[in-house]
Coordinates of all heavy atoms in Angstrom, one line a residue:
R1 N -19.1 -6.3 2.4 CA -18.0 -5.5 3.1 C -18.1 -4.0 2.8 O -18.5 -3.6 1.7 CB -16.7 -6.0 2.6 CG -16.3 -7.4 3.0 CD -14.9 -7.7 2.5 NE -14.6 -9.1 2.9 CZ -13.6 -9.5 3.6 NH1 -12.8 -8.5 4.1 NH2 -13.4 -10.7 3.9
P2 N -17.7 -3.3 3.8 CA -17.7 -1.8 3.6 C -16.6 -1.4 2.6 O -15.7 -2.1 2.4 CB -17.5 -1.3 5.0 CG -16.7 -2.3 5.7 CD -17.2 -3.6 5.1
P3 N -16.8 -0.3 1.9 CA -15.7 0.2 1.0 C -14.5 0.7 1.8 O -14.6 1.1 3.0 CB -16.4 1.3 0.3 CG -17.5 1.9 1.2 CD -17.9 0.6 2.0
L4 N -13.4 0.7 1.2 CA -12.2 1.3 1.8 C -12.2 2.8 1.4 O -11.8 3.1 0.2 CB -10.9 0.6 1.2 CG -9.6 1.1 1.8 CD1 -9.5 1.0 3.3 CD2 -8.5 0.3 1.1
E5 N -12.6 3.6 2.3 CA -12.8 5.0 2.0 C -11.5 5.8 2.3 O -10.7 5.4 3.1 CB -13.9 5.6 2.9 CG -15.3 5.0 2.8 CD -16.0 5.4 1.5 OE1 -15.5 6.3 0.8 OE2 -17.1 4.9 1.3
P6 N -11.3 6.9 1.6 CA -10.2 7.7 1.8 C -10.4 8.6 3.1 O -10.6 9.8 3.0 CB -10.1 8.6 0.6 CG -11.4 8.7 0.1 CD -12.1 7.4 0.4
T7 N -10.3 8.0 4.2 CA -10.5 8.7 5.5 C -9.3 9.6 5.8 O -8.2 9.4 5.2 CB -10.7 7.7 6.7 OG1 -9.4 7.0 6.9 CG2 -11.8 6.7 6.4
P8 N -9.4 10.5 6.7 CA -8.2 11.3 7.1 C -7.0 10.5 7.5 O -5.9 10.7 7.2 CB -8.7 12.3 8.2 CG -10.2 12.4 7.9 CD -10.6 11.0 7.4
G9 N -7.3 9.5 8.3 CA -6.2 8.6 8.8 C -5.6 7.8 7.7 O -4.4 7.6 7.6
N10 N -6.4 7.3 6.8 CA -5.9 6.6 5.6 C -5.0 7.5 4.7 O -4.0 7.1 4.2 CB -7.0 6.0 4.8 CG -7.8 4.9 5.5 OD1 -7.3 4.4 6.6 ND2 -8.9 4.4 4.9
M11 N -5.5 8.7 4.5 CA -4.8 9.6 3.7 C -3.5 10.1 4.3 O -2.5 10.2 3.6 CB -5.7 10.8 3.3 CG -6.9 10.5 2.5 SD -6.5 9.5 1.0 CE -5.5 10.6 0.1
K12 N -3.4 10.2 5.6 CA -2.2 10.6 6.3 C -1.2 9.5 6.2 O 0.0 9.7 5.9 CB -2.5 10.9 7.8 CG -1.3 11.3 8.6 CD -1.7 11.6 10.0 CE -0.4 12.0 10.8 NZ -0.7 12.3 12.2
L13 N -1.7 8.2 6.3 CA -0.8 7.1 6.1 C -0.3 7.0 4.7 O 0.9 6.7 4.4 CB -1.5 5.8 6.5 CG -0.7 4.5 6.7 CD1 0.4 4.7 7.7 CD2 -1.7 3.4 7.1
F14 N -1.2 7.3 3.7 CA -0.8 7.2 2.3 C 0.3 8.3 2.0 O 1.3 8.1 1.3 CB -2.0 7.4 1.4 CG -1.6 7.5 -0.1 CD1 -1.1 6.4 -0.7 CD2 -1.7 8.7 -0.8 CE1 -0.7 6.4 -2.1 CE2 -1.3 8.8 -2.1 CZ -0.8 7.6 -2.8
D15 N 0.0 9.5 2.6 CA 1.0 10.6 2.4 C 2.4 10.2 2.9 O 3.4 10.5 2.3 CB 0.5 11.9 3.0 CG -0.7 12.5 2.3 OD1 -0.9 12.2 1.1 OD2 -1.3 13.3 2.9
C16 N 2.4 9.5 4.0 CA 3.7 9.1 4.6 C 4.3 8.0 3.7 O 5.5 8.1 3.4 CB 3.4 8.5 6.0 SG 4.9 8.0 6.9
A17 N 3.6 7.1 3.2 CA 4.1 6.1 2.2 C 4.6 6.7 1.0 O 5.6 6.4 0.4 CB 3.0 5.1 1.9
R18 N 3.9 7.7 0.5 CA 4.3 8.4 -0.8 C 5.6 9.2 -0.5 O 6.5 9.2 -1.3 CB 3.2 9.4 -1.2 CG 3.6 10.0 -2.6 CD 2.4 10.8 -3.2 NE 1.6 11.4 -2.3 CZ 0.4 11.8 -2.6 NH1 -0.1 11.6 -3.8 NH2 -0.4 12.4 -1.7
E19 N 5.8 9.8 0.7 CA 7.0 10.5 1.0 C 8.2 9.5 1.1 O 9.3 9.8 0.6 CB 6.8 11.1 2.4 CG 8.0 11.9 2.9 CD 7.8 12.5 4.3 OE1 6.8 13.3 4.4 OE2 8.6 12.2 5.2
I20 N 8.0 8.3 1.7 CA 9.0 7.3 1.7 C 9.4 6.9 0.3 O 10.6 6.7 0.0 CB 8.6 6.1 2.6 CG1 8.4 6.5 4.1 CG2 9.5 5.0 2.5 CD1 7.6 5.6 4.9
A21 N 8.4 6.6 -0.5 CA 8.6 6.2 -1.9 C 9.5 7.3 -2.6 O 10.4 7.0 -3.3 CB 7.3 6.0 -2.6
G22 N 9.2 8.6 -2.4 CA 10.0 9.6 -3.0 C 11.4 9.6 -2.5 O 12.3 9.9 -3.3
E23 N 11.6 9.3 -1.3 CA 13.0 9.2 -0.8 C 13.7 8.0 -1.5 O 15.0 8.0 -1.5 CB 13.0 9.0 0.8 CG 12.5 10.2 1.5 CD 12.2 9.9 3.0 OE1 12.4 8.8 3.5 OE2 11.6 10.8 3.6
L24 N 13.0 7.1 -2.0 CA 13.6 5.9 -2.7 C 13.6 6.2 -4.2 O 13.9 5.3 -5.0 CB 12.8 4.7 -2.4 CG 12.7 4.2 -1.0 CD1 11.7 3.1 -0.8 CD2 14.1 3.7 -0.5
D25 N 13.3 7.4 -4.6 CA 13.2 7.8 -6.0 C 12.2 7.0 -6.8 O 12.4 6.6 -7.9 CB 14.6 7.7 -6.7 CG 15.6 8.7 -6.2 OD1 15.2 9.9 -5.9 OD2 16.8 8.4 -6.0
R26 N 11.1 6.7 -6.1 CA 10.0 6.0 -6.7 C 8.7 6.9 -6.5 O 8.6 7.7 -5.7 CB 9.8 4.7 -6.0 CG 10.9 3.7 -6.1 CD 11.2 3.2 -7.4 NE 12.3 2.3 -7.5 CZ 12.5 1.4 -8.4 NH1 11.6 1.3 -9.4 NH2 13.5 0.6 -8.4
E27 N 7.8 6.6 -7.4 CA 6.5 7.3 -7.3 C 5.4 6.3 -6.8 O 5.3 5.2 -7.3 CB 6.1 7.8 -8.7 CG 4.8 8.6 -8.6 CD 4.4 9.2 -10.0 OE1 5.1 8.9 -11.0 OE2 3.4 9.8 -10.1
L28 N 4.7 6.7 -5.9 CA 3.6 5.9 -5.3 C 2.3 6.6 -5.6 O 2.1 7.8 -5.2 CB 3.8 5.7 -3.8 CG 2.9 4.7 -3.2 CD1 3.1 3.2 -3.7 CD2 3.1 4.7 -1.7
T29 N 1.4 6.0 -6.4 CA 0.2 6.7 -6.7 C -1.0 5.9 -6.1 O -0.9 4.7 -5.8 CB -0.1 6.7 -8.2 OG1 0.0 5.4 -8.7 CG2 1.0 7.5 -8.9
G30 N -2.1 6.6 -5.8 CA -3.3 6.0 -5.3 C -4.2 5.6 -6.4 O -4.1 6.0 -7.5
G31 N -5.2 4.8 -6.0 CA -6.2 4.4 -7.0 C -7.3 3.6 -6.3 O -7.2 3.2 -5.1
A32 N -8.3 3.2 -7.1 CA -9.3 2.3 -6.6 C -9.5 1.2 -7.5 O -9.4 1.4 -8.7 CB -10.6 3.2 -6.4
T33 N -9.9 0.0 -7.0 CA -10.1 -1.1 -7.8 C -11.5 -1.6 -7.8 O -11.9 -2.4 -8.7 CB -9.2 -2.3 -7.4 OG1 -9.5 -2.7 -6.1 CG2 -7.7 -1.9 -7.5
G34 N -12.3 -1.3 -6.8 CA -13.6 -1.8 -6.7 C -13.7 -3.2 -6.0 O -14.7 -3.8 -5.9
G35 N -12.5 -3.6 -5.6 CA -12.4 -5.0 -4.9 C -12.6 -4.8 -3.4 O -12.8 -3.8 -2.9
T36 N -12.4 -5.9 -2.7 CA -12.5 -5.9 -1.3 C -11.2 -6.6 -0.7 O -10.5 -7.3 -1.4 CB -13.7 -6.7 -0.8 OG1 -13.6 -8.1 -1.2 CG2 -15.0 -6.1 -1.3
S37 N -10.9 -6.3 0.5 CA -9.8 -6.9 1.2 C -10.1 -6.8 2.7 O -11.1 -6.1 3.1 CB -8.5 -6.1 0.9 OG -8.5 -4.9 1.6
D38 N -9.3 -7.4 3.5 CA -9.4 -7.2 5.0 C -9.2 -5.8 5.4 O -9.7 -5.3 6.4 CB -8.5 -8.1 5.7 CG -8.8 -9.6 5.5 OD1 -10.0 -9.9 5.2 OD2 -7.9 -10.4 5.7
G39 N -8.5 -5.0 4.5 CA -8.3 -3.6 4.8 C -9.6 -2.8 4.9 O -9.7 -1.8 5.6
N40 N -10.6 -3.3 4.1 CA -11.9 -2.6 4.2 C -12.5 -2.7 5.6 O -13.1 -1.7 6.0 CB -12.9 -3.3 3.2 CG -12.5 -3.1 1.8 OD1 -11.3 -3.4 1.4 ND2 -13.4 -2.8 0.9
L41 N -12.3 -3.8 6.2 CA -12.8 -4.0 7.6 C -12.1 -3.2 8.6 O -12.7 -2.5 9.5 CB -12.8 -5.5 8.0 CG -13.6 -6.4 7.0 CD1 -13.4 -7.8 7.4 CD2 -15.1 -6.0 7.0
T42 N -10.7 -3.1 8.6 CA -10.0 -2.4 9.5 C -10.2 -0.9 9.4 O -10.4 -0.1 10.3 CB -8.5 -2.7 9.5 OG1 -8.0 -2.4 8.2 CG2 -8.2 -4.1 9.8
S43 N -10.3 -0.4 8.1 CA -10.6 1.0 7.9 C -11.9 1.4 8.4 O -12.1 2.5 9.0 CB -10.5 1.3 6.4 OG -10.8 2.6 6.1
A44 N -12.9 0.5 8.2 CA -14.3 0.8 8.7 C -14.3 0.9 10.2 O -15.2 1.6 10.8 CB -15.3 -0.2 8.2
L45 N -13.4 0.3 10.9 CA -13.3 0.4 12.4 C -12.5 1.7 12.8 O -12.3 1.9 14.0 CB -12.6 -0.8 12.9 CG -13.4 -2.1 12.8 CD1 -12.5 -3.3 13.2 CD2 -14.7 -2.1 13.6
G46 N -12.0 2.5 11.8 CA -11.3 3.7 12.2 C -9.8 3.5 12.3 O -9.1 4.4 12.7
V47 N -9.3 2.3 11.9 CA -7.8 2.1 11.9 C -7.2 2.5 10.6 O -7.7 2.1 9.5 CB -7.5 0.6 12.1 CG1 -6.1 0.3 12.1 CG2 -8.2 0.0 13.4
P48 N -6.3 3.5 10.6 CA -5.7 3.9 9.4 C -5.1 2.7 8.6 O -4.4 1.9 9.1 CB -4.5 4.8 9.8 CG -5.0 5.4 11.1 CD -5.7 4.2 11.8
T49 N -5.5 2.6 7.3 CA -5.3 1.4 6.5 C -4.9 1.8 5.1 O -5.5 2.6 4.5 CB -6.6 0.6 6.5 OG1 -7.0 0.2 7.8 CG2 -6.4 -0.7 5.7
L50 N -3.9 1.0 4.6 CA -3.5 1.1 3.2 C -3.6 -0.3 2.7 O -3.4 -1.3 3.4 CB -2.0 1.6 3.0 CG -1.7 3.0 3.4 CD1 -0.2 3.3 3.2 CD2 -2.6 4.0 2.6
D51 N -3.9 -0.4 1.4 CA -4.0 -1.7 0.7 C -3.2 -1.6 -0.6 O -3.1 -0.5 -1.2 CB -5.4 -2.1 0.4 CG -5.6 -3.5 0.0 OD1 -4.7 -4.3 0.2 OD2 -6.6 -3.9 -0.5
G52 N -2.6 -2.7 -1.1 CA -2.0 -2.7 -2.3 C -0.5 -2.3 -2.3 O 0.1 -1.8 -3.3
L53 N 0.1 -2.5 -1.1 CA 1.6 -2.2 -1.0 C 2.4 -3.4 -1.3 O 3.6 -3.4 -1.1 CB 1.9 -1.7 0.4 CG 1.4 -0.3 0.6 CD1 1.7 0.1 2.1 CD2 2.0 0.7 -0.3
G54 N 1.8 -4.5 -1.8 CA 2.6 -5.7 -2.1 C 3.3 -5.6 -3.4 O 3.5 -4.5 -4.0
A55 N 3.7 -6.7 -3.9 CA 4.5 -6.7 -5.2 C 3.6 -6.2 -6.3 O 2.4 -6.3 -6.4 CB 4.9 -8.2 -5.5
L56 N 4.4 -5.6 -7.3 CA 3.7 -5.2 -8.5 C 3.7 -6.4 -9.5 O 4.5 -7.3 -9.4 CB 4.5 -4.1 -9.2 CG 4.6 -2.8 -8.4 CD1 5.5 -1.8 -9.1 CD2 3.2 -2.2 -8.1
G57 N 2.7 -6.4 -10.4 CA 2.7 -7.5 -11.3 C 1.4 -7.5 -12.1 O 0.7 -6.4 -12.2
I58 N 1.1 -8.6 -12.7 CA -0.2 -8.7 -13.5 C -0.9 -10.0 -13.2 O -0.3 -10.9 -12.7 CB 0.1 -8.7 -15.1 CG1 1.1 -9.8 -15.4 CG2 0.7 -7.3 -15.4 CD1 1.2 -10.0 -17.0
G59 N -2.1 -10.1 -13.5 CA -2.9 -11.3 -13.4 C -3.2 -11.7 -11.9 O -3.2 -12.9 -11.6
A60 N -3.4 -10.8 -11.0 CA -3.6 -11.1 -9.6 C -4.7 -12.1 -9.4 O -5.8 -12.1 -10.0 CB -4.0 -9.8 -8.9
H61 N -4.3 -13.1 -8.6 CA -5.2 -14.2 -8.2 C -5.6 -15.1 -9.4 O -6.7 -15.7 -9.3 CB -6.4 -13.7 -7.4 CG -6.0 -12.7 -6.3 ND1 -5.3 -13.1 -5.2 CD2 -6.3 -11.4 -6.2 CE1 -5.1 -12.0 -4.4 NE2 -5.7 -11.0 -5.0
Q62 N -4.9 -15.1 -10.4 CA -5.2 -16.0 -11.6 C -4.1 -17.0 -11.8 O -3.0 -16.9 -11.2 CB -5.3 -15.1 -12.8 CG -6.5 -14.1 -12.7 CD -6.6 -13.2 -13.9 OE1 -6.3 -13.6 -15.0 NE2 -7.0 -11.9 -13.6
V63 N -4.3 -18.0 -12.6 CA -3.4 -19.0 -12.9 C -2.1 -18.4 -13.5 O -1.0 -18.9 -13.2 CB -4.0 -20.1 -13.8 CG1 -2.9 -21.1 -14.3 CG2 -5.1 -20.7 -13.2
D64 N -2.2 -17.4 -14.3 CA -1.1 -16.8 -15.0 C -0.5 -15.5 -14.2 O 0.2 -14.7 -14.8 CB -1.4 -16.4 -16.4 CG -2.5 -15.4 -16.5 OD1 -3.2 -15.1 -15.5 OD2 -2.6 -14.8 -17.6
E65 N -0.8 -15.5 -12.9 CA -0.3 -14.3 -12.1 C 1.3 -14.2 -12.2 O 2.0 -15.2 -12.2 CB -0.7 -14.5 -10.7 CG -0.2 -13.3 -9.8 CD -0.8 -13.4 -8.4 OE1 -1.4 -14.4 -8.0 OE2 -0.5 -12.5 -7.6
R66 N 1.8 -13.0 -12.4 CA 3.2 -12.7 -12.5 C 3.5 -11.6 -11.6 O 2.8 -10.6 -11.4 CB 3.6 -12.4 -13.9 CG 3.3 -13.5 -14.9 CD 4.2 -14.7 -14.8 NE 4.1 -15.6 -15.8 CZ 3.2 -16.7 -15.7 NH1 2.5 -16.9 -14.7 NH2 3.1 -17.6 -16.7
V67 N 4.7 -11.7 -11.0 CA 5.2 -10.6 -10.1 C 6.5 -10.1 -10.7 O 7.3 -10.8 -11.2 CB 5.5 -11.2 -8.7 CG1 6.3 -10.2 -7.8 CG2 4.3 -11.7 -8.0
E68 N 6.6 -8.7 -10.6 CA 7.8 -8.1 -11.0 C 8.8 -8.2 -9.8 O 8.8 -7.5 -8.9 CB 7.6 -6.6 -11.3 CG 6.7 -6.3 -12.5 CD 6.5 -4.9 -12.7 OE1 7.2 -4.0 -12.3 OE2 5.5 -4.6 -13.4
I69 N 9.8 -9.1 -10.0 CA 10.7 -9.4 -8.9 C 11.5 -8.1 -8.5 O 11.7 -7.8 -7.4 CB 11.8 -10.4 -9.4 CG1 11.1 -11.7 -9.7 CG2 12.8 -10.6 -8.3 CD1 10.6 -12.6 -8.6
S70 N 11.8 -7.2 -9.5 CA 12.5 -6.0 -9.2 C 11.8 -5.0 -8.3 O 12.4 -4.1 -7.8 CB 12.9 -5.3 -10.5 OG 11.8 -4.9 -11.2
S71 N 10.4 -5.2 -8.2 CA 9.7 -4.3 -7.3 C 9.7 -4.7 -5.9 O 9.4 -3.9 -5.0 CB 8.2 -4.3 -7.8 OG 7.5 -5.5 -7.5
L72 N 10.2 -5.9 -5.6 CA 10.1 -6.4 -4.2 C 10.9 -5.6 -3.2 O 10.4 -5.2 -2.2 CB 10.4 -7.9 -4.1 CG 9.5 -8.8 -4.9 CD1 10.0 -10.3 -4.8 CD2 8.1 -8.7 -4.3
P73 N 12.2 -5.3 -3.5 CA 13.0 -4.6 -2.5 C 12.4 -3.2 -2.1 O 12.3 -2.8 -1.0 CB 14.4 -4.4 -3.1 CG 14.4 -5.6 -4.1 CD 13.0 -5.7 -4.6
W74 N 12.0 -2.4 -3.1 CA 11.6 -1.0 -2.8 C 10.2 -1.1 -2.2 O 9.8 -0.2 -1.4 CB 11.7 -0.1 -4.0 CG 10.8 -0.3 -5.2 CD1 11.1 -1.0 -6.3 CD2 9.6 0.3 -5.4 NE1 10.1 -0.9 -7.2 CE2 9.1 -0.1 -6.7 CE3 8.8 1.2 -4.7 CZ2 7.9 0.3 -7.2 CZ3 7.6 1.6 -5.2 CH2 7.2 1.2 -6.5
R75 N 9.3 -2.0 -2.6 CA 8.0 -2.1 -2.0 C 8.2 -2.5 -0.5 O 7.5 -1.9 0.4 CB 7.1 -3.1 -2.7 CG 6.9 -2.8 -4.2 CD 6.0 -1.6 -4.4 NE 4.6 -1.9 -4.3 CZ 3.6 -1.2 -4.7 NH1 3.9 0.0 -5.3 NH2 2.4 -1.5 -4.5
A76 N 9.1 -3.4 -0.2 CA 9.3 -3.8 1.2 C 9.9 -2.6 2.0 O 9.6 -2.5 3.1 CB 10.3 -5.0 1.2
A77 N 10.8 -1.8 1.3 CA 11.3 -0.7 2.0 C 10.3 0.3 2.3 O 10.4 1.0 3.4 CB 12.4 0.0 1.1
I78 N 9.2 0.5 1.5 CA 8.1 1.4 1.9 C 7.4 0.9 3.2 O 7.2 1.7 4.1 CB 7.1 1.6 0.7 CG1 7.8 2.3 -0.4 CG2 5.9 2.3 1.2 CD1 7.0 2.4 -1.7
V79 N 7.1 -0.4 3.2 CA 6.5 -1.0 4.4 C 7.4 -0.8 5.6 O 6.9 -0.4 6.7 CB 6.1 -2.4 4.1 CG1 5.5 -3.1 5.4 CG2 5.0 -2.5 3.0
A80 N 8.7 -1.1 5.4 CA 9.6 -1.0 6.6 C 9.7 0.4 7.1 O 9.7 0.7 8.3 CB 11.0 -1.5 6.2
G81 N 9.7 1.4 6.1 CA 9.7 2.8 6.5 C 8.5 3.2 7.2 O 8.5 4.0 8.2
L82 N 7.3 2.7 6.8 CA 6.0 3.0 7.5 C 6.1 2.5 8.9 O 5.7 3.2 9.9 CB 4.9 2.4 6.8 CG 4.4 3.1 5.5 CD1 3.4 2.3 4.7 CD2 3.8 4.5 5.9
I83 N 6.6 1.2 9.1 CA 6.6 0.7 10.4 C 7.6 1.5 11.3 O 7.2 1.8 12.5 CB 7.1 -0.8 10.3 CG1 6.0 -1.7 9.7 CG2 7.5 -1.3 11.8 CD1 6.5 -3.1 9.3
E84 N 8.7 1.9 10.8 CA 9.7 2.6 11.6 C 9.1 4.0 12.0 O 9.2 4.4 13.1 CB 10.9 2.9 10.7 CG 12.0 3.7 11.4 CD 13.2 3.9 10.6 OE1 13.1 4.3 9.4 OE2 14.3 3.6 11.1
R85 N 8.4 4.7 11.1 CA 7.9 6.0 11.4 C 6.7 5.9 12.3 O 6.5 6.8 13.1 CB 7.5 6.8 10.1 CG 8.8 7.1 9.3 CD 8.6 7.8 8.1 NE 9.8 7.8 7.3 CZ 10.1 8.6 6.3 NH1 9.1 9.5 5.9 NH2 11.2 8.6 5.7
I86 N 5.9 4.9 12.2 CA 4.7 4.8 13.0 C 5.1 4.5 14.4 O 4.5 5.0 15.4 CB 3.7 3.7 12.5 CG1 3.1 4.2 11.2 CG2 2.7 3.3 13.5 CD1 2.4 3.2 10.4
E87 N 6.2 3.7 14.6 CA 6.6 3.3 15.9 C 7.3 4.4 16.7 O 7.4 4.4 17.9 CB 7.5 2.1 15.9 CG 6.7 0.8 15.6 CD 7.5 -0.5 15.9 OE1 8.7 -0.4 16.2 OE2 6.9 -1.5 15.8
N88 N 7.8 5.4 15.9 CA 8.6 6.5 16.5 C 7.7 7.7 16.8 O 7.0 8.3 16.5 CB 9.8 6.9 15.7 CG 10.8 5.8 15.7 OD1 11.0 5.2 16.7 ND2 11.5 5.6 14.6

């Protein structure tokens, strides 16, 4: 799979998500994991793409995976804010 590169479109989308997070009094930081996702494919096609906006937690894709329940509302609010701003 191609890497998920920080393209101008991806960075513009991330900046929007970070702005929304700030409005929720939350900090959204970027990073790299070295893994792959379907986002790698959409980004390679030139579609602005973010990955990792799901629940926070530990042990991803493992038997002992855990999710921070308290992160669900504000993470969902970021995604909802992105949808609202992209559609307008």
Side-chain angles (χ1 to χ4, degrees):
R1 290 183 183 240
L4 181 58
E5 299 284 357
T7 66
N10 292 351
M11 295 310 297
K12 182 177 178 183
L13 193 57
F14 176 71
D15 288 341
C16 185
R18 186 170 34 199
E19 180 180 304
I20 294 165
E23 293 167 6
L24 299 168
D25 293 323
R26 301 290 181 159
E27 183 180 2
L28 190 65
T29 59
T33 64
T36 62
S37 76
D38 292 337
N40 296 47
L41 300 174
T42 58
S43 180
L45 293 173
V47 178
T49 303
L50 294 179
D51 192 16
L53 288 177
L56 298 177
I58 60 170
H61 312 296
Q62 298 178 33
V63 174
D64 63 344
E65 180 175 6
R66 300 288 186 267
V67 170
E68 292 178 22
I69 301 284
S70 63
S71 73
L72 296 177
W74 69 269
R75 301 291 278 195
I78 292 172
V79 174
L82 283 168
I83 291 168
E84 180 180 52
R85 291 179 192 196
I86 290 169
E87 287 196 351
N88 291 325

